[in-house]
Amino acid sequence: MTTEEFGPWRAKAASEFAMAQVQEGHWAIETAEQQGLDVTDGLLPAGPDTYGQHLWIARDTQTEQRVGTLWVAMRTAGPTAEAFVYDVHVEEALQGAGYGRAIMEAATTAARALGAERLALNVHGSNDRAYQLYKSLGYEVTNLHMRLGL
C-alpha cells in the first residue's frame, strides 16, 4: 500500500471497525468514529511505514483491478512469532467471488515469508460469512467471548 492509498484506506478501515464495535455493543455510536481512528492510529503511528505492520492492496491477477486490502502485523505470542490479521476487506461489489479466500491465502503466504509460525485473527460474532471462510481455511477457535443481554 502506498502512502497515497493509505489515507483513504485508514479512514474506511477505522470507520468499518468502529461500526462493528457499535454493532457488537462495545462502543457508543456518538464516539465510535473517533475511537476507531484512535485505535488505528495507535497501531500505525508511522502510517504504512510502521515497523512490523504490513499493508497491501489486493488486485486481481488477470485484470489488475483493486479487489480488497489486507493488514497483517507481526507480533510475539509466547515463545513464537505470530502474524495477526488486523483487517481484511473485499470490495463490496466483488464479495462472493472468491477474493476473500484468495486474500487470506496470500496472508498465509506472507506470514510464512515474514517468519511467523502461525497466523491469527479476530472475527466478530455477527460476521458468520467470514467465520465460515476462516473455518474452511483451517482456522480454529482459540477464544470465545459471549454475552447475555439483560
Side-chain angles (χ1 to χ4, degrees), residues 27-106:
W27 294 353
I29 188 75
E30 298 80 13
T31 59
E33 288 290 332
Q34 187 58 54
Q35 286 177 276
L37 288 169
D38 291 346
V39 168
T40 302
D41 292 345
L43 292 167
L44 295 164
D49 297 324
T50 303
Y51 179 80
Q53 305 291 327
H54 305 276
L55 302 162
W56 292 280
I57 300 294
R59 299 192 185 279
D60 184 287
T61 57
Q62 302 290 320
T63 66
E64 290 298 313
Q65 174 188 12
R66 178 182 170 143
V67 298
T69 56
L70 175 65
W71 172 13
V72 173
M74 288 300 295
R75 62 188 196 178
T76 302
T80 63
E82 177 179 87
F84 188 85
V85 176
Y86 272 109
D87 186 57
V88 60
H89 176 77
V90 174
E91 302 297 332
E92 192 170 335
L94 301 172
Q95 292 179 4
Y99 290 115
R101 177 174 296 279
I103 292 170
M104 290 306 299
E105 289 170 348

